[in-house]
Amino acid sequence: MEMNQKLKEKFEEFCKSHNLTGQKKAQLKKKLMQILKKVAVEPGTAIGVLSAQSISEPATQMTMRSYTLASQTTALAKVTHGLPRMIEIFDARKTFERSMIIYLKPKYNNKNYAKKFAEKIKEKKVKDSLASSSIDLLNMQLEFIFAEKINFDTFKEIVKNYMKDGKITRKGQTVYIKPDDAEIKNLRSLKFKLLDAKVGGIKNILSVAVKKEKNDWIITAEGSNLKAILELEEVDVNRTKTNDIYEVESVLGIEAARNLILEQARETLRDQGLSVDIRHLLLIADTMTFDGKVSSIGRYGVAGHKASVLARANFEETVKHLVNASFRGERDNLNSTIENVMIGKVAPVGTGFVKLVIDADKLKGKK
Amino acid sequence: MAKKEINIFENYLVPKHEIMTEEEKQQLLKKFNISLKQLPRIKERDPAVKAIGAKKGDIIKIERKSETAGVAYYYRVVV
């Protein structure tokens, strides 16, 4: 066993300040190693169960608090807190309230620029600048009336992305769109597509707010688009963050996703005033990213992809797993804990983890 | 809006990735007495793998900043 870096540094520091050298230092090191060996996790400890309990017990405290808190926070910002957020993280959900915190480079770090920048990245859709939109059934065309002045040419380009052939004409603030294959069904679908079409800004950045935090002007955004934001010249790549684990996985890689799971889980727990030892969360974050992709703790992730048939059947969807296993002729080597508990064998945990072999020669006194 | 190339290693979430040489690789497997299959995995299309140009079968040494240990090393095999 070796000392880790943090401990090593502390040890050296201690020796320096107490003028320990040579033999005394070696003695202290020996003593320290003995203690280290004692406090280390023993081989065969069921650390998964330990982690699960250590996180779940404080989480039961969370349930009661978060529901009363939810009504107060919704008015300020749409961010999930407490147990619901915890479940989102560990289930690796794909739909949840996304949010981003954007930092700007020092050069652009002032109130005016931050406000300008925030306005620039906010997604603008066609419907945001419309006064009314309707379908003119008599002439089989769409009628868009704009509330503000628009750039007709750019709007024309946007329409062309959704419509193959047709005529676009303008009369003051009103724009008429007449596709060649005009049918009521087509017109309706075209109308809804156009209303949702992006005019400017960055996709999925729904609302923005600028606030000051210590020396920085930061932009908090509802919705998330990490790749597009990081590509912007003004953005500080180092500190800008999102709460979308999948997005981080695809843009920054699996190690970053692992760090984000850890950070998010800790933050959620800390917000509730709970302290869980970081080692439990480390284990979960590492398990969730073991395969090189983010997988949830549960039926469709870690628990559903165990090697052992019996372990899977024990968790959820018993019949499905047993039937499928018999179809494929799967084998269960009974290597893990739960299978052995099921069939009544000694489980490979703790003392069951080691096997004893008799040295026959020694027994006979030959050695 | 002006665009720039993203250097993912600038972000605070991304630790240092390093490709191990063949010799280091064998040493590692011997030290822990394991085969390549037993190591944690990382996808070939992972942005960090692409950035350092690792290939299938390489082991990547990841230098994590750890709160409990200062610096911790983690190994992933490219699949």
PDB file of all heavy atoms in Angstrom, chain A residues 5-6 230-232 235 237-238 241 254-255 258-259 263 266 289-291, chain B residues 2-4 8 10-13 41-42 46-47 64 67-69 71 76:
ATOM      1  N   GLN A   5      -1.286  11.148  -2.748  1.00  0.00           N
ATOM      2  CA  GLN A   5      -0.508  12.378  -2.864  1.00  0.00           C
ATOM      3  C   GLN A   5      -0.807  13.395  -1.767  1.00  0.00           C
ATOM      4  O   GLN A   5       0.092  14.013  -1.210  1.00  0.00           O
ATOM      5  CB  GLN A   5      -0.767  13.007  -4.225  1.00  0.00           C
ATOM      6  CG  GLN A   5       0.408  13.808  -4.708  1.00  0.00           C
ATOM      7  CD  GLN A   5      -0.018  14.821  -5.721  1.00  0.00           C
ATOM      8  OE1 GLN A   5      -1.172  14.929  -6.074  1.00  0.00           O
ATOM      9  NE2 GLN A   5       0.915  15.588  -6.195  1.00  0.00           N
ATOM     10  N   LYS A   6      -2.076  13.500  -1.437  1.00  0.00           N
ATOM     11  CA  LYS A   6      -2.495  14.483  -0.439  1.00  0.00           C
ATOM     12  C   LYS A   6      -1.863  14.163   0.921  1.00  0.00           C
ATOM     13  O   LYS A   6      -1.342  15.029   1.612  1.00  0.00           O
ATOM     14  CB  LYS A   6      -4.019  14.453  -0.340  1.00  0.00           C
ATOM     15  CG  LYS A   6      -4.606  15.718   0.223  1.00  0.00           C
ATOM     16  CD  LYS A   6      -6.117  15.642   0.154  1.00  0.00           C
ATOM     17  CE  LYS A   6      -6.758  16.702   0.989  1.00  0.00           C
ATOM     18  NZ  LYS A   6      -8.220  16.548   1.002  1.00  0.00           N
ATOM     19  N   LEU A 230     -20.193  27.256 -26.239  1.00  0.00           N
ATOM     20  CA  LEU A 230     -18.737  27.223 -26.088  1.00  0.00           C
ATOM     21  C   LEU A 230     -18.027  27.716 -27.336  1.00  0.00           C
ATOM     22  O   LEU A 230     -16.918  28.228 -27.271  1.00  0.00           O
ATOM     23  CB  LEU A 230     -18.261  25.811 -25.753  1.00  0.00           C
ATOM     24  CG  LEU A 230     -18.576  25.284 -24.354  1.00  0.00           C
ATOM     25  CD1 LEU A 230     -17.912  23.938 -24.134  1.00  0.00           C
ATOM     26  CD2 LEU A 230     -18.143  26.246 -23.277  1.00  0.00           C
ATOM     27  N   GLU A 231     -18.684  27.545 -28.492  1.00  0.00           N
ATOM     28  CA  GLU A 231     -18.060  27.984 -29.743  1.00  0.00           C
ATOM     29  C   GLU A 231     -18.008  29.502 -29.877  1.00  0.00           C
ATOM     30  O   GLU A 231     -17.269  30.028 -30.697  1.00  0.00           O
ATOM     31  CB  GLU A 231     -18.818  27.383 -30.936  1.00  0.00           C
ATOM     32  CG  GLU A 231     -18.296  26.015 -31.330  1.00  0.00           C
ATOM     33  CD  GLU A 231     -19.160  25.354 -32.382  1.00  0.00           C
ATOM     34  OE1 GLU A 231     -20.212  25.900 -32.736  1.00  0.00           O
ATOM     35  OE2 GLU A 231     -18.772  24.269 -32.832  1.00  0.00           O
ATOM     36  N   LEU A 232     -18.789  30.184 -29.066  1.00  0.00           N
ATOM     37  CA  LEU A 232     -18.804  31.645 -29.164  1.00  0.00           C
ATOM     38  C   LEU A 232     -17.504  32.245 -28.629  1.00  0.00           C
ATOM     39  O   LEU A 232     -16.952  31.772 -27.642  1.00  0.00           O
ATOM     40  CB  LEU A 232     -19.988  32.213 -28.387  1.00  0.00           C
ATOM     41  CG  LEU A 232     -21.369  31.841 -28.925  1.00  0.00           C
ATOM     42  CD1 LEU A 232     -22.439  32.391 -28.040  1.00  0.00           C
ATOM     43  CD2 LEU A 232     -21.537  32.319 -30.343  1.00  0.00           C
ATOM     44  N   VAL A 235     -17.187  33.576 -24.798  1.00  0.00           N
ATOM     45  CA  VAL A 235     -17.463  32.708 -23.654  1.00  0.00           C
ATOM     46  C   VAL A 235     -16.182  32.152 -23.039  1.00  0.00           C
ATOM     47  O   VAL A 235     -15.260  31.761 -23.740  1.00  0.00           O
ATOM     48  CB  VAL A 235     -18.393  31.557 -24.091  1.00  0.00           C
ATOM     49  CG1 VAL A 235     -18.564  30.542 -22.982  1.00  0.00           C
ATOM     50  CG2 VAL A 235     -19.730  32.104 -24.505  1.00  0.00           C
ATOM     51  N   VAL A 237     -14.492  29.289 -21.683  1.00  0.00           N
ATOM     52  CA  VAL A 237     -14.701  27.839 -21.791  1.00  0.00           C
ATOM     53  C   VAL A 237     -14.462  27.150 -20.451  1.00  0.00           C
ATOM     54  O   VAL A 237     -15.122  26.176 -20.105  1.00  0.00           O
ATOM     55  CB  VAL A 237     -13.772  27.236 -22.870  1.00  0.00           C
ATOM     56  CG1 VAL A 237     -13.921  25.726 -22.946  1.00  0.00           C
ATOM     57  CG2 VAL A 237     -14.076  27.835 -24.216  1.00  0.00           C
ATOM     58  N   ASN A 238     -13.541  27.679 -19.680  1.00  0.00           N
ATOM     59  CA  ASN A 238     -13.169  27.026 -18.428  1.00  0.00           C
ATOM     60  C   ASN A 238     -14.341  26.865 -17.471  1.00  0.00           C
ATOM     61  O   ASN A 238     -14.590  25.794 -16.953  1.00  0.00           O
ATOM     62  CB  ASN A 238     -12.036  27.825 -17.769  1.00  0.00           C
ATOM     63  CG  ASN A 238     -11.612  27.215 -16.460  1.00  0.00           C
ATOM     64  OD1 ASN A 238     -11.926  26.073 -16.168  1.00  0.00           O
ATOM     65  ND2 ASN A 238     -10.917  27.980 -15.661  1.00  0.00           N
ATOM     66  N   LYS A 241     -20.909  26.258 -17.536  1.00  0.00           N
ATOM     67  CA  LYS A 241     -21.424  24.922 -17.241  1.00  0.00           C
ATOM     68  C   LYS A 241     -22.902  24.758 -17.524  1.00  0.00           C
ATOM     69  O   LYS A 241     -23.641  25.730 -17.640  1.00  0.00           O
ATOM     70  CB  LYS A 241     -21.134  24.558 -15.800  1.00  0.00           C
ATOM     71  CG  LYS A 241     -21.646  25.532 -14.773  1.00  0.00           C
ATOM     72  CD  LYS A 241     -21.234  25.024 -13.392  1.00  0.00           C
ATOM     73  CE  LYS A 241     -21.211  26.122 -12.372  1.00  0.00           C
ATOM     74  NZ  LYS A 241     -20.637  25.711 -11.109  1.00  0.00           N
ATOM     75  N   ILE A 254     -16.677  11.482 -21.620  1.00  0.00           N
ATOM     76  CA  ILE A 254     -17.250  10.688 -20.529  1.00  0.00           C
ATOM     77  C   ILE A 254     -16.668  11.077 -19.169  1.00  0.00           C
ATOM     78  O   ILE A 254     -17.370  11.069 -18.160  1.00  0.00           O
ATOM     79  CB  ILE A 254     -17.051   9.179 -20.818  1.00  0.00           C
ATOM     80  CG1 ILE A 254     -17.872   8.324 -19.858  1.00  0.00           C
ATOM     81  CG2 ILE A 254     -15.600   8.760 -20.755  1.00  0.00           C
ATOM     82  CD1 ILE A 254     -19.331   8.394 -20.077  1.00  0.00           C
ATOM     83  N   GLU A 255     -15.402  11.459 -19.134  1.00  0.00           N
ATOM     84  CA  GLU A 255     -14.796  11.841 -17.856  1.00  0.00           C
ATOM     85  C   GLU A 255     -15.436  13.115 -17.313  1.00  0.00           C
ATOM     86  O   GLU A 255     -15.643  13.254 -16.108  1.00  0.00           O
ATOM     87  CB  GLU A 255     -13.291  12.043 -18.027  1.00  0.00           C
ATOM     88  CG  GLU A 255     -12.475  10.780 -17.857  1.00  0.00           C
ATOM     89  CD  GLU A 255     -12.590  10.195 -16.452  1.00  0.00           C
ATOM     90  OE1 GLU A 255     -12.448  10.943 -15.482  1.00  0.00           O
ATOM     91  OE2 GLU A 255     -12.820   8.979 -16.342  1.00  0.00           O
ATOM     92  N   ARG A 258     -18.758  12.249 -15.887  1.00  0.00           N
ATOM     93  CA  ARG A 258     -18.589  11.671 -14.552  1.00  0.00           C
ATOM     94  C   ARG A 258     -18.412  12.770 -13.499  1.00  0.00           C
ATOM     95  O   ARG A 258     -19.017  12.725 -12.431  1.00  0.00           O
ATOM     96  CB  ARG A 258     -17.394  10.720 -14.572  1.00  0.00           C
ATOM     97  CG  ARG A 258     -17.069  10.107 -13.237  1.00  0.00           C
ATOM     98  CD  ARG A 258     -15.724  10.623 -12.802  1.00  0.00           C
ATOM     99  NE  ARG A 258     -15.323  10.089 -11.523  1.00  0.00           N
ATOM    100  CZ  ARG A 258     -14.548  10.771 -10.694  1.00  0.00           C
ATOM    101  NH1 ARG A 258     -14.127  11.966 -11.025  1.00  0.00           N
ATOM    102  NH2 ARG A 258     -14.204  10.249  -9.561  1.00  0.00           N
ATOM    103  N   ASN A 259     -17.601  13.746 -13.825  1.00  0.00           N
ATOM    104  CA  ASN A 259     -17.401  14.850 -12.894  1.00  0.00           C
ATOM    105  C   ASN A 259     -18.672  15.649 -12.671  1.00  0.00           C
ATOM    106  O   ASN A 259     -18.916  16.139 -11.581  1.00  0.00           O
ATOM    107  CB  ASN A 259     -16.289  15.780 -13.391  1.00  0.00           C
ATOM    108  CG  ASN A 259     -14.923  15.152 -13.229  1.00  0.00           C
ATOM    109  OD1 ASN A 259     -14.740  14.308 -12.358  1.00  0.00           O
ATOM    110  ND2 ASN A 259     -13.979  15.540 -14.063  1.00  0.00           N
ATOM    111  N   GLU A 263     -20.666  16.423  -9.277  1.00  0.00           N
ATOM    112  CA  GLU A 263     -20.910  17.797  -8.861  1.00  0.00           C
ATOM    113  C   GLU A 263     -22.392  18.058  -8.607  1.00  0.00           C
ATOM    114  O   GLU A 263     -22.770  18.656  -7.602  1.00  0.00           O
ATOM    115  CB  GLU A 263     -20.392  18.732  -9.964  1.00  0.00           C
ATOM    116  CG  GLU A 263     -20.354  20.180  -9.567  1.00  0.00           C
ATOM    117  CD  GLU A 263     -20.096  21.069 -10.768  1.00  0.00           C
ATOM    118  OE1 GLU A 263     -18.941  21.202 -11.152  1.00  0.00           O
ATOM    119  OE2 GLU A 263     -21.061  21.608 -11.329  1.00  0.00           O
ATOM    120  N   ARG A 266     -23.696  16.231  -5.470  1.00  0.00           N
ATOM    121  CA  ARG A 266     -23.215  16.895  -4.251  1.00  0.00           C
ATOM    122  C   ARG A 266     -23.946  18.196  -4.006  1.00  0.00           C
ATOM    123  O   ARG A 266     -24.331  18.511  -2.898  1.00  0.00           O
ATOM    124  CB  ARG A 266     -21.720  17.211  -4.385  1.00  0.00           C
ATOM    125  CG  ARG A 266     -20.844  16.055  -4.102  1.00  0.00           C
ATOM    126  CD  ARG A 266     -19.434  16.530  -3.981  1.00  0.00           C
ATOM    127  NE  ARG A 266     -19.086  16.769  -2.592  1.00  0.00           N
ATOM    128  CZ  ARG A 266     -17.922  17.298  -2.221  1.00  0.00           C
ATOM    129  NH1 ARG A 266     -17.055  17.645  -3.124  1.00  0.00           N
ATOM    130  NH2 ARG A 266     -17.654  17.463  -0.963  1.00  0.00           N
ATOM    131  N   THR A 289     -20.582   5.565 -15.295  1.00  0.00           N
ATOM    132  CA  THR A 289     -19.830   5.861 -16.518  1.00  0.00           C
ATOM    133  C   THR A 289     -18.849   4.747 -16.893  1.00  0.00           C
ATOM    134  O   THR A 289     -17.990   4.935 -17.740  1.00  0.00           O
ATOM    135  CB  THR A 289     -19.053   7.184 -16.371  1.00  0.00           C
ATOM    136  OG1 THR A 289     -18.247   7.103 -15.193  1.00  0.00           O
ATOM    137  CG2 THR A 289     -19.964   8.356 -16.253  1.00  0.00           C
ATOM    138  N   PHE A 290     -18.991   3.583 -16.262  1.00  0.00           N
ATOM    139  CA  PHE A 290     -18.040   2.489 -16.473  1.00  0.00           C
ATOM    140  C   PHE A 290     -17.944   2.075 -17.937  1.00  0.00           C
ATOM    141  O   PHE A 290     -16.862   1.805 -18.448  1.00  0.00           O
ATOM    142  CB  PHE A 290     -18.453   1.274 -15.619  1.00  0.00           C
ATOM    143  CG  PHE A 290     -17.463   0.153 -15.647  1.00  0.00           C
ATOM    144  CD1 PHE A 290     -16.439   0.099 -14.717  1.00  0.00           C
ATOM    145  CD2 PHE A 290     -17.544  -0.846 -16.600  1.00  0.00           C
ATOM    146  CE1 PHE A 290     -15.514  -0.920 -14.750  1.00  0.00           C
ATOM    147  CE2 PHE A 290     -16.616  -1.871 -16.632  1.00  0.00           C
ATOM    148  CZ  PHE A 290     -15.600  -1.906 -15.702  1.00  0.00           C
ATOM    149  N   ASP A 291     -19.090   2.039 -18.612  1.00  0.00           N
ATOM    150  CA  ASP A 291     -19.137   1.514 -19.983  1.00  0.00           C
ATOM    151  C   ASP A 291     -18.711   2.515 -21.047  1.00  0.00           C
ATOM    152  O   ASP A 291     -18.779   2.218 -22.229  1.00  0.00           O
ATOM    153  CB  ASP A 291     -20.558   1.036 -20.299  1.00  0.00           C
ATOM    154  CG  ASP A 291     -20.696  -0.449 -20.054  1.00  0.00           C
ATOM    155  OD1 ASP A 291     -19.670  -1.139 -20.101  1.00  0.00           O
ATOM    156  OD2 ASP A 291     -21.833  -0.907 -19.825  1.00  0.00           O
TER     157      ASP A 291
ATOM    158  N   ALA B   2     -19.123  35.514 -33.906  1.00  0.00           N
ATOM    159  CA  ALA B   2     -17.809  34.932 -34.168  1.00  0.00           C
ATOM    160  C   ALA B   2     -17.690  33.560 -33.521  1.00  0.00           C
ATOM    161  O   ALA B   2     -18.096  33.370 -32.387  1.00  0.00           O
ATOM    162  CB  ALA B   2     -16.734  35.859 -33.626  1.00  0.00           C
ATOM    163  N   LYS B   3     -17.138  32.635 -34.287  1.00  0.00           N
ATOM    164  CA  LYS B   3     -17.011  31.285 -33.748  1.00  0.00           C
ATOM    165  C   LYS B   3     -15.560  30.929 -33.513  1.00  0.00           C
ATOM    166  O   LYS B   3     -14.664  31.454 -34.166  1.00  0.00           O
ATOM    167  CB  LYS B   3     -17.637  30.284 -34.722  1.00  0.00           C
ATOM    168  CG  LYS B   3     -19.127  30.225 -34.578  1.00  0.00           C
ATOM    169  CD  LYS B   3     -19.695  29.013 -35.272  1.00  0.00           C
ATOM    170  CE  LYS B   3     -21.187  28.937 -35.016  1.00  0.00           C
ATOM    171  NZ  LYS B   3     -21.841  27.894 -35.758  1.00  0.00           N
ATOM    172  N   LYS B   4     -15.318  30.029 -32.567  1.00  0.00           N
ATOM    173  CA  LYS B   4     -13.947  29.579 -32.320  1.00  0.00           C
ATOM    174  C   LYS B   4     -13.947  28.074 -32.128  1.00  0.00           C
ATOM    175  O   LYS B   4     -14.958  27.457 -31.875  1.00  0.00           O
ATOM    176  CB  LYS B   4     -13.385  30.278 -31.074  1.00  0.00           C
ATOM    177  CG  LYS B   4     -14.149  29.889 -29.814  1.00  0.00           C
ATOM    178  CD  LYS B   4     -13.494  30.403 -28.565  1.00  0.00           C
ATOM    179  CE  LYS B   4     -14.300  29.893 -27.386  1.00  0.00           C
ATOM    180  NZ  LYS B   4     -14.540  30.810 -26.330  1.00  0.00           N
ATOM    181  N   ILE B   8     -11.506  21.336 -25.463  1.00  0.00           N
ATOM    182  CA  ILE B   8     -12.291  20.811 -24.347  1.00  0.00           C
ATOM    183  C   ILE B   8     -11.475  20.711 -23.064  1.00  0.00           C
ATOM    184  O   ILE B   8     -12.022  20.744 -21.983  1.00  0.00           O
ATOM    185  CB  ILE B   8     -12.929  19.443 -24.683  1.00  0.00           C
ATOM    186  CG1 ILE B   8     -11.881  18.393 -25.005  1.00  0.00           C
ATOM    187  CG2 ILE B   8     -13.922  19.565 -25.796  1.00  0.00           C
ATOM    188  CD1 ILE B   8     -12.449  17.001 -24.955  1.00  0.00           C
ATOM    189  N   GLU B  10      -9.774  22.872 -21.755  1.00  0.00           N
ATOM    190  CA  GLU B  10      -9.844  24.122 -21.002  1.00  0.00           C
ATOM    191  C   GLU B  10     -10.935  24.068 -19.951  1.00  0.00           C
ATOM    192  O   GLU B  10     -10.878  24.775 -18.957  1.00  0.00           O
ATOM    193  CB  GLU B  10     -10.136  25.285 -21.951  1.00  0.00           C
ATOM    194  CG  GLU B  10      -8.901  25.869 -22.599  1.00  0.00           C
ATOM    195  CD  GLU B  10      -9.275  26.968 -23.574  1.00  0.00           C
ATOM    196  OE1 GLU B  10     -10.302  27.645 -23.366  1.00  0.00           O
ATOM    197  OE2 GLU B  10      -8.551  27.132 -24.568  1.00  0.00           O
ATOM    198  N   ASN B  11     -11.968  23.262 -20.186  1.00  0.00           N
ATOM    199  CA  ASN B  11     -13.103  23.236 -19.262  1.00  0.00           C
ATOM    200  C   ASN B  11     -12.735  22.565 -17.941  1.00  0.00           C
ATOM    201  O   ASN B  11     -11.983  21.598 -17.917  1.00  0.00           O
ATOM    202  CB  ASN B  11     -14.280  22.497 -19.912  1.00  0.00           C
ATOM    203  CG  ASN B  11     -15.572  22.713 -19.158  1.00  0.00           C
ATOM    204  OD1 ASN B  11     -15.830  22.031 -18.177  1.00  0.00           O
ATOM    205  ND2 ASN B  11     -16.362  23.653 -19.580  1.00  0.00           N
ATOM    206  N   TYR B  12     -13.305  23.107 -16.870  1.00  0.00           N
ATOM    207  CA  TYR B  12     -12.925  22.605 -15.545  1.00  0.00           C
ATOM    208  C   TYR B  12     -13.369  21.166 -15.303  1.00  0.00           C
ATOM    209  O   TYR B  12     -12.876  20.512 -14.393  1.00  0.00           O
ATOM    210  CB  TYR B  12     -13.505  23.514 -14.453  1.00  0.00           C
ATOM    211  CG  TYR B  12     -14.978  23.336 -14.208  1.00  0.00           C
ATOM    212  CD1 TYR B  12     -15.439  22.722 -13.051  1.00  0.00           C
ATOM    213  CD2 TYR B  12     -15.910  23.763 -15.137  1.00  0.00           C
ATOM    214  CE1 TYR B  12     -16.796  22.540 -12.835  1.00  0.00           C
ATOM    215  CE2 TYR B  12     -17.243  23.592 -14.936  1.00  0.00           C
ATOM    216  CZ  TYR B  12     -17.692  22.977 -13.773  1.00  0.00           C
ATOM    217  OH  TYR B  12     -19.025  22.790 -13.577  1.00  0.00           O
ATOM    218  N   LEU B  13     -14.304  20.675 -16.105  1.00  0.00           N
ATOM    219  CA  LEU B  13     -14.787  19.302 -15.894  1.00  0.00           C
ATOM    220  C   LEU B  13     -13.866  18.253 -16.508  1.00  0.00           C
ATOM    221  O   LEU B  13     -13.914  17.091 -16.127  1.00  0.00           O
ATOM    222  CB  LEU B  13     -16.182  19.147 -16.513  1.00  0.00           C
ATOM    223  CG  LEU B  13     -17.359  19.787 -15.783  1.00  0.00           C
ATOM    224  CD1 LEU B  13     -18.606  19.705 -16.641  1.00  0.00           C
ATOM    225  CD2 LEU B  13     -17.610  19.131 -14.450  1.00  0.00           C
ATOM    226  N   ARG B  41     -14.289   1.450 -19.620  1.00  0.00           N
ATOM    227  CA  ARG B  41     -14.162   1.723 -21.049  1.00  0.00           C
ATOM    228  C   ARG B  41     -14.373   3.199 -21.362  1.00  0.00           C
ATOM    229  O   ARG B  41     -14.924   3.956 -20.572  1.00  0.00           O
ATOM    230  CB  ARG B  41     -15.179   0.879 -21.796  1.00  0.00           C
ATOM    231  CG  ARG B  41     -14.897  -0.591 -21.666  1.00  0.00           C
ATOM    232  CD  ARG B  41     -15.980  -1.418 -22.299  1.00  0.00           C
ATOM    233  NE  ARG B  41     -16.938  -1.853 -21.307  1.00  0.00           N
ATOM    234  CZ  ARG B  41     -16.814  -2.968 -20.600  1.00  0.00           C
ATOM    235  NH1 ARG B  41     -15.781  -3.755 -20.766  1.00  0.00           N
ATOM    236  NH2 ARG B  41     -17.735  -3.309 -19.715  1.00  0.00           N
ATOM    237  N   ILE B  42     -13.918   3.559 -22.541  1.00  0.00           N
ATOM    238  CA  ILE B  42     -14.187   4.899 -23.077  1.00  0.00           C
ATOM    239  C   ILE B  42     -14.405   4.717 -24.570  1.00  0.00           C
ATOM    240  O   ILE B  42     -13.724   3.917 -25.200  1.00  0.00           O
ATOM    241  CB  ILE B  42     -13.023   5.871 -22.747  1.00  0.00           C
ATOM    242  CG1 ILE B  42     -13.382   7.307 -23.096  1.00  0.00           C
ATOM    243  CG2 ILE B  42     -11.727   5.466 -23.421  1.00  0.00           C
ATOM    244  CD1 ILE B  42     -12.410   8.330 -22.525  1.00  0.00           C
ATOM    245  N   ASP B  46     -15.425   9.398 -28.302  1.00  0.00           N
ATOM    246  CA  ASP B  46     -15.426  10.354 -27.191  1.00  0.00           C
ATOM    247  C   ASP B  46     -14.590  11.586 -27.566  1.00  0.00           C
ATOM    248  O   ASP B  46     -13.508  11.442 -28.120  1.00  0.00           O
ATOM    249  CB  ASP B  46     -14.828   9.665 -25.956  1.00  0.00           C
ATOM    250  CG  ASP B  46     -15.052  10.465 -24.694  1.00  0.00           C
ATOM    251  OD1 ASP B  46     -14.250  11.364 -24.410  1.00  0.00           O
ATOM    252  OD2 ASP B  46     -16.034  10.173 -23.992  1.00  0.00           O
ATOM    253  N   PRO B  47     -15.081  12.788 -27.305  1.00  0.00           N
ATOM    254  CA  PRO B  47     -14.348  13.992 -27.711  1.00  0.00           C
ATOM    255  C   PRO B  47     -12.913  14.044 -27.180  1.00  0.00           C
ATOM    256  O   PRO B  47     -12.010  14.499 -27.895  1.00  0.00           O
ATOM    257  CB  PRO B  47     -15.180  15.124 -27.100  1.00  0.00           C
ATOM    258  CG  PRO B  47     -16.514  14.559 -26.888  1.00  0.00           C
ATOM    259  CD  PRO B  47     -16.346  13.102 -26.643  1.00  0.00           C
ATOM    260  N   ARG B  64      -6.994  12.491 -12.485  1.00  0.00           N
ATOM    261  CA  ARG B  64      -8.135  13.176 -11.879  1.00  0.00           C
ATOM    262  C   ARG B  64      -7.699  13.977 -10.677  1.00  0.00           C
ATOM    263  O   ARG B  64      -6.859  13.536  -9.914  1.00  0.00           O
ATOM    264  CB  ARG B  64      -9.164  12.158 -11.399  1.00  0.00           C
ATOM    265  CG  ARG B  64      -9.948  11.517 -12.485  1.00  0.00           C
ATOM    266  CD  ARG B  64     -10.781  10.449 -11.866  1.00  0.00           C
ATOM    267  NE  ARG B  64     -11.692   9.862 -12.827  1.00  0.00           N
ATOM    268  CZ  ARG B  64     -12.500   8.861 -12.516  1.00  0.00           C
ATOM    269  NH1 ARG B  64     -12.481   8.341 -11.313  1.00  0.00           N
ATOM    270  NH2 ARG B  64     -13.308   8.370 -13.417  1.00  0.00           N
ATOM    271  N   GLU B  67     -10.597  14.985  -4.287  1.00  0.00           N
ATOM    272  CA  GLU B  67     -10.680  15.675  -3.013  1.00  0.00           C
ATOM    273  C   GLU B  67     -10.089  14.827  -1.896  1.00  0.00           C
ATOM    274  O   GLU B  67      -9.549  15.327  -0.932  1.00  0.00           O
ATOM    275  CB  GLU B  67     -12.143  15.941  -2.715  1.00  0.00           C
ATOM    276  CG  GLU B  67     -12.390  17.207  -1.984  1.00  0.00           C
ATOM    277  CD  GLU B  67     -13.849  17.521  -2.051  1.00  0.00           C
ATOM    278  OE1 GLU B  67     -14.323  17.902  -3.136  1.00  0.00           O
ATOM    279  OE2 GLU B  67     -14.515  17.344  -1.030  1.00  0.00           O
ATOM    280  N   THR B  68     -10.205  13.521  -2.039  1.00  0.00           N
ATOM    281  CA  THR B  68      -9.746  12.634  -0.974  1.00  0.00           C
ATOM    282  C   THR B  68      -8.275  12.271  -1.115  1.00  0.00           C
ATOM    283  O   THR B  68      -7.614  12.009  -0.132  1.00  0.00           O
ATOM    284  CB  THR B  68     -10.572  11.336  -0.954  1.00  0.00           C
ATOM    285  OG1 THR B  68     -10.613  10.812  -2.264  1.00  0.00           O
ATOM    286  CG2 THR B  68     -11.956  11.596  -0.452  1.00  0.00           C
ATOM    287  N   ALA B  69      -7.764  12.261  -2.356  1.00  0.00           N
ATOM    288  CA  ALA B  69      -6.399  11.773  -2.552  1.00  0.00           C
ATOM    289  C   ALA B  69      -5.466  12.773  -3.230  1.00  0.00           C
ATOM    290  O   ALA B  69      -4.340  12.445  -3.541  1.00  0.00           O
ATOM    291  CB  ALA B  69      -6.421  10.483  -3.347  1.00  0.00           C
ATOM    292  N   VAL B  71      -4.333  13.744  -6.102  1.00  0.00           N
ATOM    293  CA  VAL B  71      -4.385  13.334  -7.514  1.00  0.00           C
ATOM    294  C   VAL B  71      -4.665  11.837  -7.555  1.00  0.00           C
ATOM    295  O   VAL B  71      -4.051  11.065  -6.828  1.00  0.00           O
ATOM    296  CB  VAL B  71      -3.053  13.641  -8.230  1.00  0.00           C
ATOM    297  CG1 VAL B  71      -3.022  13.010  -9.595  1.00  0.00           C
ATOM    298  CG2 VAL B  71      -2.854  15.141  -8.342  1.00  0.00           C
ATOM    299  N   ARG B  76      -8.775   3.916 -18.532  1.00  0.00           N
ATOM    300  CA  ARG B  76      -9.895   3.473 -19.374  1.00  0.00           C
ATOM    301  C   ARG B  76      -9.332   2.917 -20.666  1.00  0.00           C
ATOM    302  O   ARG B  76      -8.347   3.427 -21.201  1.00  0.00           O
ATOM    303  CB  ARG B  76     -10.818   4.650 -19.709  1.00  0.00           C
ATOM    304  CG  ARG B  76     -11.726   5.065 -18.564  1.00  0.00           C
ATOM    305  CD  ARG B  76     -12.616   6.192 -19.021  1.00  0.00           C
ATOM    306  NE  ARG B  76     -13.387   6.758 -17.937  1.00  0.00           N
ATOM    307  CZ  ARG B  76     -14.562   6.294 -17.543  1.00  0.00           C
ATOM    308  NH1 ARG B  76     -15.120   5.266 -18.146  1.00  0.00           N
ATOM    309  NH2 ARG B  76     -15.214   6.877 -16.566  1.00  0.00           N
TER     310      ARG B  76
END
